[in-house]
Amino acid sequence: MAAHLSDPQDVGIHARHVSTVSTIDSEMNDESGNPIWKNRVESWKDKKNNKKKKVAKNNKTEQAPAEIPHEQQMEDKQDALMQQPLSEIVPMSRNKLTPYRAVIIMRLVILGLFFHYRIMNPVDSAFGLWLTSVICEIWFAFSWVLDQFPKWSPINRVTYLDTLSARFERPGEPCELAPVDFFVSTVDPLKEPPLITANTVLSILALDYPVEKVSCYVSDDGAAMLSFESLAETSEFARKWVPFCKKYAIEPRAPEFYFSQKIDYLKDKVQPSFVKERRAMKRDYEEYKIRVNAMVARAQKTPEEGWTMQDGTPWPGNNTRDHPGMVQVFLGNTGARDMDGNELPRLIYVSREKRPGYQHHKKAGAENALVRVSAVLTNAPYILNLDCDHYVNNSKAVREAMCFLMDPQVGRDVCYVQFPQRFDGIDKSDRYANRNIVFFDVNMKGLDGIQGPVYVGTGCVFNRQALYGYGPPSMPTLTKTSSSSSCSWCGCCSCCCPSKKKAELDASELYKDAKREELNAAIFNLHEIDNYDEYERSMLMSQRSFEKTFGLSSVFIESTLMENGGVPESVNSSTLIKEAIHVISCSYEEKTEWGKEIGWIYGSVTEDILTGFKMHCRGWRSIYCMPPRPAFKGSAPINLSDRLHQVLRWALGSVEIFLSRHCPLWYGFGGGRLRWLQRLAYINTIVYPFTSLPLIAYCLIPAICLLTGKFIIPTLSNLASVLFLGLFMSIILTAVLELRWSGVSIEDLWRNEQFWVIGGVSAHLFAVFQGFLKMLAGIDTNFTVTTKAAEDAEFGELYMVKWTTVLIPPTTLLIVNIVGVVAGFSDALNKGYEAWGPLFGKVFFAFWVILHLYPFLKGLMGRQNRTPTIVVLWSVLLASVFSLVWVKINPFVNKVDSMEIAGTCISIDC
């Protein structure tokens, strides 16, 4: 394994601080590690002296008048090139944005007048229904405000890849593009097929980026021998695939998706050599698929004695819950080369240690293990994480991100660059809104104009220093007054939490701010060292604080101080492997800040939202990058059951954050580094599951009105009619203007609206109950990994419906509203002409519910698999019980006194 490690000479170019001590020497030192720190300080002093000499030399040159030589003119041109921007912000046209903002303000005014009318005109004959509807409408208006105002300043961005290449890839000079470590995570190879993961890995290895700058780490959190063997087979096929991709500049560079394109591959490539090589490569890929599929077939049944490797030794991961850490380097610049004899990017397999009794924190824990092992082996300054089913669709995607991260004006305060998620294998109508276009093309553009988009879990390029919990270099340190402002803020919300709890929260926030500032001071104060003797005494204290934060690994701590990445010059490969095994041990994170303040944050199944939120609270900003060709593409769950379970997991994570100390309602006020519109956006990401409660009530109200003959709105006056008309017009205008500046189609908007209702009355409801169960009773609910591939006919899984309790609430709502419509029409037929007018309003709301649930109904009545009988039985039973109980108690209708009825009858008889 050590033979495949890279030569450290090339990766040390970008190291801001280069250590001259080897890791072998570090083992012979005492626990305080003084020689490492002394050598580091000496190297900084030498670097500073050289810088002073260079400045003095330049001053002398400026004082001596002389003719400008040709070489200096070339340098001037390069300086001019260095000043050219790598990216630019393209603001939205005022013709599009000004009307949009005006309509938002107008809609707010109309909402105020509407609620004034609704509250001042109760419906006495159905007071309960009226009160329920008003409460629901107020919550919907609040949700709209949370969703709308972060879109106040949407922007677009453009990148200049030619300028990036001209600045950092000058002919005859070493390439200065920053190295990047890629993280690919997988758990279960039977649910996440190895072929899908292999395509993701192959697309990374074939990137249009210098090979010595690319390292791909594959995390196998299930310790499956199938994943290991398939990766070994993939590394062998990469020797053929990578040179083929780069020779002919094909797109995309994932073979499965390249060969499945229904386009004329001869277009613009008519040379016979390409046709011949393409056919040969396709044949090689089919043979490679056969070998991988044979491995999958063998893995379906585990042998009683466990798996055995080719050399006859037992597979260390036979017990997935109790196994040692594993690191295997497959490719690298000193390892196997491609078929043309060229160097290949590094490919490293990682499976962290698992032991009973330890909390492993699922995906977040696996990502943090990759952060540490990559810091020891390659230590690239930037990290790009991908799900195993998200392949690189644009080979220049990393260059797009570097246009922001390597720009000295823009990149200093950027913690990550987020790309939108795009998907393959979705039907044209996108019945279940898998593409999520409204979120990625509307909401994220709006957030980019504030403090940056939220982190969505994949397709994101991180600044490694931001993951380590440091603040941005340009951000001033927190003062005592600014830190104590959280106390004054908490004083105004005593109704939310007890004063003692607030004091404890403020104290913990102040302590963590102080620890974070201590780390920032440790790294930034090391830049200026004038007196080594005075600083020597504080070195041990600094190292102890780093060990409490990052863990007991001197090699890893040393890597955290290298802002521009790189590894020490004198390094022993076998020691690096040993250290890599050490940092992925299950006990390494004990009594450290991992998962609390640094790395991926624990405490929620949606660790992505939480991690990005912590970075924004420290003052970092993020950037949204939307290249014309989508950077990454993934496989979406296209059947109804998997889609609802995916939404359930996201919503459950939001509820967990809401119930945790990291809730945006009260966390991060101390430094004032999180902008208010950004805070509104984060509040929206955690409270949206609670909309399920008023949404279910609002979807039941039309059926109740039809069954009882009552209505939630009194007879409308002229003013009320104008208010209702203005409200509907403002809703339509907001949507139209939003579509205008975002470029989203009306069909995508409608699909998003439909699935908002479907997910709200099913998955979001279950997420709220599961979240409170976890908080109150400690009952933790495990989520299943979504199946990543459908190997049947195209869209074959679209009509599959698997049994799940999540399907019961929307099915019940559908049946109740359909029954209500039938009952309403039959009642109108019995009462005559006058009953048809009031019926119109009631039926309108019922049809609103049915139309929004129509994709769900269509999914239930799919062609290939009928709806599970148990779902129909439970839904009909609930609908029947509800209807019978309603007729019996009729709670929202005023009871008429029996004496009044008798008097009325007597007067009629007379």
Side-chain angles (χ1 to χ4, degrees):
M1 293 186 289
H4 293 289
L5 279 176
S6 62
D7 188 355
Q9 294 178 359
D10 61 334
V11 294
I13 295 174
H14 302 282
R16 184 185 61 184
H17 313 305
V18 181
S19 174
T20 57
V21 65
S22 68
T23 52
I24 288 290
D25 296 334
S26 68
E27 290 186 349
M28 295 187 292
N29 297 331
D30 57 7
E31 294 181 356
S32 62
N34 282 329
I36 291 180
W37 299 88
K38 288 182 179 179
N39 281 286
R40 181 178 300 287
V41 172
E42 291 294 340
S43 66
W44 285 325
K45 292 175 68 177
D46 294 340
K47 182 178 179 181
K48 186 174 182 181
N49 292 333
N50 293 333
K51 186 177 180 180
K52 289 180 178 179
K53 292 178 182 179
K54 187 176 180 181
V55 172
K57 185 178 179 181
N58 291 336
N59 292 337
K60 290 181 180 179
T61 306
E62 291 176 358
Q63 294 175 1
E67 294 182 0
I68 301 176
H70 177 69
E71 291 78 5
Q72 188 171 348
Q73 293 179 0
M74 295 297 294
E75 290 181 0
D76 292 340
K77 291 182 179 179
Q78 290 182 358
D79 292 339
L81 183 65
M82 293 291 287
Q83 295 177 358
Q84 292 182 6
L86 298 178
S87 64
E88 281 185 354
I89 294 176
V90 181
M92 294 290 176
S93 171
R94 289 188 177 182
N95 295 332
K96 296 180 179 179
L97 208 54
T98 303
Y100 178 66
R101 292 174 175 173
V103 169
I104 291 177
I105 299 299
M106 180 184 72
R107 185 169 170 182
L108 273 178
V109 174
I110 294 175
L111 276 173
L113 296 174
F114 170 78
F115 284 121
H116 178 267
Y117 169 79
R118 290 283 282 140
I119 294 172
M120 299 305 294
N121 293 273
V123 182
D124 296 329
S125 60
F127 186 81
L129 280 177
W130 167 82
L131 182 61
T132 304
S133 65
V134 169
I135 294 173
C136 294
E137 288 161 3
I138 291 174
W139 178 265
F140 295 150
F142 171 70
S143 301
W144 173 79
V145 170
L146 289 179
D147 184 64
Q148 203 68 43
F149 271 88
K151 306 173 188 175
W152 189 259
S153 302
I155 59 172
N156 289 315
R157 296 181 186 268
V158 293
T159 55
Y160 302 111
L161 299 182
D162 294 338
T163 305
L164 178 78
S165 181
R167 184 181 296 186
F168 298 105
E169 294 181 292
R170 292 187 291 270
E173 298 182 16
C175 176
E176 296 181 0
L177 287 174
V180 181
D181 288 338
F182 285 79
F183 292 175
V184 179
S185 55
T186 182
V187 180
D188 187 352
L190 298 180
K191 292 184 178 180
E192 301 168 329
L195 202 58
I196 298 295
T197 305
N199 272 271
T200 301
V201 171
L202 289 169
S203 67
I204 293 172
L205 299 178
L207 275 172
D208 182 8
Y209 207 72
V211 292
E212 70 274 10
K213 309 290 183 181
V214 176
S215 302
C216 180
Y217 292 83
V218 179
S219 170
D220 176 21
D221 217 32
M225 186 172 158
L226 172 59
S227 298
F228 180 84
E229 288 185 333
S230 64
L231 201 62
E233 196 70 43
T234 301
S235 66
E236 189 64 27
F237 177 72
R239 299 176 61 234
K240 303 176 184 178
W241 175 249
V242 172
F244 171 74
C245 293
K246 295 189 175 182
K247 183 177 181 181
Y248 297 106
I250 67 169
E251 296 284 2
R253 300 190 177 182
E256 182 70 26
F257 301 95
Y258 170 69
F259 290 122
S260 63
Q261 290 182 115
K262 297 178 181 179
I263 60 174
D264 183 10
Y265 66 88
L266 295 176
K267 185 178 180 181
D268 300 327
K269 295 184 178 71
V270 294
Q271 58 268 41
S273 59
F274 169 72
V275 178
K276 182 179 179 181
E277 288 192 38
R278 186 186 186 280
R279 290 174 179 171
M281 184 55 60
K282 188 173 184 180
R283 184 169 58 251
D284 290 339
Y285 178 64
E286 293 297 331
E287 294 173 357
Y288 160 75
K289 284 175 64 176
I290 291 173
R291 293 193 296 271
V292 173
N293 288 331
M295 295 177 186
V296 175
R298 289 197 303 270
Q300 297 296 323
K301 186 177 181 181
T302 306
E304 293 182 0
E305 64 278 5
W307 298 106
T308 305
M309 294 188 289
Q310 292 183 357
D311 59 357
T313 58
W315 170 246
N318 276 325
N319 186 348
T320 58
R321 298 183 179 181
D322 188 3
H323 66 83
M326 294 176 277
V327 176
Q328 172 68 52
V329 183
F330 285 107
L331 298 174
N333 61 349
T334 59
R337 295 180 175 263
D338 64 24
M339 302 303 292
D340 296 337
N342 299 319
E343 183 182 331
L344 284 169
R346 302 172 187 86
L347 177 60
I348 303 165
Y349 170 89
V350 178
S351 182
R352 57 183 174 141
E353 183 185 21
K354 294 284 185 69
R355 299 297 180 196
Y358 287 92
Q359 178 61 262
H360 301 105
H361 301 289
K362 301 177 182 177
K363 182 181 177 180
E367 295 287 347
N368 284 338
L370 286 182
V371 171
R372 297 191 294 272
V373 73
S374 64
V376 171
L377 297 181
T378 52
N379 196 31
Y382 301 110
I383 293 171
L384 196 159
N385 81 299
L386 290 172
D387 288 344
C388 64
D389 62 323
H390 273 72
Y391 65 91
V392 182
N393 183 64
N394 183 349
S395 62
K396 298 184 184 294
V398 179
R399 294 178 180 269
E400 297 275 356
M402 290 302 120
C403 285
F404 303 106
L405 294 170
M406 297 189 70
D407 191 323
Q409 304 298 325
V410 179
R412 286 175 56 83
D413 297 337
V414 175
C415 55
Y416 60 82
V417 175
Q418 178 67 62
F419 291 88
Q421 293 184 17
R422 300 290 188 247
F423 299 97
D424 288 319
I426 299 175
D427 62 310
K428 187 177 180 180
S429 63
D430 192 13
R431 181 180 300 174
Y432 307 126
N434 282 288
R435 293 190 179 94
N436 214 354
I437 293 293
V438 173
F439 174 76
F440 287 112
D441 287 20
V442 179
N443 297 55
M444 297 288 266
K445 278 186 182 180
L447 292 177
D448 199 16
I450 311 171
Q451 198 172 344
V454 298
Y455 168 43
V456 294
T458 184
C460 188
V461 187
F462 283 97
N463 182 338
R464 189 184 282 267
Q465 293 291 311
L467 281 172
Y468 288 157
Y470 297 125
S474 63
M475 179 62 64
T477 58
L478 287 175
T479 61
K480 292 183 179 180
T481 55
S482 64
S483 298
S484 62
S485 64
S486 60
C487 300
S488 62
W489 176 84
C490 286
C492 66
C493 60
S494 58
C495 59
C496 300
C497 54
S499 59
K500 183 178 179 181
K501 189 174 182 180
K502 288 186 298 180
E504 293 176 357
L505 182 64
D506 292 341
S508 64
E509 289 297 320
L510 288 173
Y511 172 75
K512 293 190 180 299
D513 282 338
K515 294 297 291 182
R516 186 159 57 246
E517 297 305 333
E518 182 182 350
L519 286 178
N520 284 333
I523 186 171
F524 293 120
N525 289 344
L526 293 177
H527 294 175
E528 299 293 337
I529 300 175
D530 294 324
N531 193 326
Y532 174 73
D533 295 331
E534 291 181 3
Y535 197 81
E536 188 177 15
R537 289 193 299 271
S538 63
M539 272 299 182
L540 287 178
M541 294 179 61
S542 296
Q543 186 170 2
R544 288 194 187 101
S545 68
F546 273 85
E547 287 176 348
K548 289 179 182 178
T549 302
F550 296 114
L552 298 174
S553 172
S554 58
V555 178
F556 177 74
I557 292 174
E558 190 175 4
S559 72
T560 63
L561 296 176
M562 297 180 179
E563 192 177 76
N564 295 322
V567 294
E569 287 183 348
S570 301
V571 62
N572 183 279
S573 300
S574 60
T575 305
L576 282 187
I577 291 292
K578 182 180 178 181
E579 196 68 24
I581 294 293
H582 169 57
V583 298
I584 60 173
S585 61
C586 55
S587 61
Y588 183 83
E589 294 184 358
E590 287 188 339
K591 298 180 181 179
T592 66
E593 294 297 317
W594 283 101
K596 302 172 186 174
E597 295 297 325
I598 63 175
W600 271 259
I601 307 301
Y602 304 148
S604 171
V605 295
T606 53
E607 68 288 331
D608 45 6
I609 298 292
L610 200 51
T611 302
F613 174 63
K614 293 278 283 189
M615 292 180 180
H616 284 136
C617 285
R618 295 188 188 110
W620 293 93
R621 68 159 292 118
S622 55
I623 282 179
Y624 197 50
C625 183
M626 294 182 64
R629 179 180 178 86
F632 310 100
K633 281 192 174 183
S635 303
I638 60 175
N639 71 71
L640 180 61
S641 304
D642 283 349
R643 175 70 167 131
L644 288 177
H645 275 289
Q646 183 188 60
V647 174
L648 171 62
R649 181 170 65 88
W650 294 343
L652 178 59
S654 296
V655 175
E656 288 174 344
I657 297 174
F658 177 81
L659 300 174
S660 72
R661 71 182 185 90
H662 290 117
C663 178
L665 288 171
W666 52 73
Y667 182 85
F669 279 89
R673 297 175 176 179
L674 189 68
R675 299 187 183 179
W676 277 102
L677 289 180
Q678 189 81 1
R679 187 177 295 278
L680 283 181
Y682 274 110
I683 292 173
N684 187 39
T685 61
I686 63 154
V687 301
Y688 77 89
F690 296 96
T691 307
S692 60
L693 301 175
L695 186 60
I696 285 184
Y698 214 71
C699 289
L700 279 173
I701 285 175
I704 295 173
C705 292
L706 288 167
L707 290 171
T708 60
K710 303 298 179 182
F711 201 37
I712 58 175
I713 299 174
T715 304
L716 295 179
S717 63
N718 292 334
L719 177 61
S721 301
V722 171
L723 280 177
F724 274 89
L725 183 62
L727 181 61
F728 282 113
M729 290 300 297
S730 65
I731 293 173
I732 295 171
L733 278 175
T734 306
V736 169
L737 294 174
E738 200 169 87
L739 296 178
R740 188 182 173 206
W741 65 254
S742 66
V744 175
S745 68
I746 191 170
E747 182 182 9
D748 289 322
L749 183 68
W750 173 238
R751 290 299 186 197
N752 181 80
E753 182 77 12
Q754 285 181 311
F755 201 79
W756 173 73
V757 176
I758 295 172
V761 299
S762 56
H764 297 174
L765 178 68
F766 278 77
V768 171
F769 283 110
Q770 288 182 12
F772 278 102
L773 277 176
K774 184 176 180 180
M775 182 190 69
L776 298 176
I779 301 175
D780 195 2
T781 53
N782 295 323
F783 66 91
T784 57
V785 178
T786 306
T787 304
K788 302 296 183 185
E791 298 182 0
D792 301 331
E794 187 177 15
F795 314 131
E797 286 195 356
L798 179 62
Y799 304 100
M800 290 180 62
V801 177
K802 304 170 186 176
W803 155 243
T804 170
T805 52
V806 179
L807 301 177
I808 294 177
T811 308
T812 304
L813 286 175
L814 267 172
I815 295 175
V816 167
N817 276 277
I818 292 174
V819 169
V821 170
V822 174
F825 274 103
S826 61
D827 188 59
L829 288 172
N830 292 332
K831 291 184 177 179
Y833 177 77
E834 294 180 355
W836 287 94
L839 177 67
F840 174 76
K842 303 172 189 177
V843 171
F844 171 80
F845 287 107
F847 272 115
W848 181 90
V849 176
I850 295 171
L851 283 175
H852 278 76
L853 293 177
Y854 175 71
F856 177 82
L857 177 63
K858 197 171 182 181
L860 288 179
M861 305 304 172
R863 294 197 303 262
Q864 297 187 6
N865 284 2
R866 292 183 177 274
T867 305
T869 307
I870 189 68
V871 173
V872 178
L873 289 176
W874 272 105
S875 302
V876 172
L877 178 62
L878 287 177
S880 303
V881 170
F882 175 80
S883 301
L884 291 173
V885 170
W886 186 268
V887 171
K888 180 66 177 176
I889 61 177
N890 203 5
F892 292 137
V893 181
N894 285 346
K895 301 296 182 181
V896 183
D897 188 40
S898 58
M899 293 299 294
E900 294 181 4
I901 297 176
T904 304
C905 295
I906 294 171
S907 62
I908 292 174
D909 291 339
C910 293

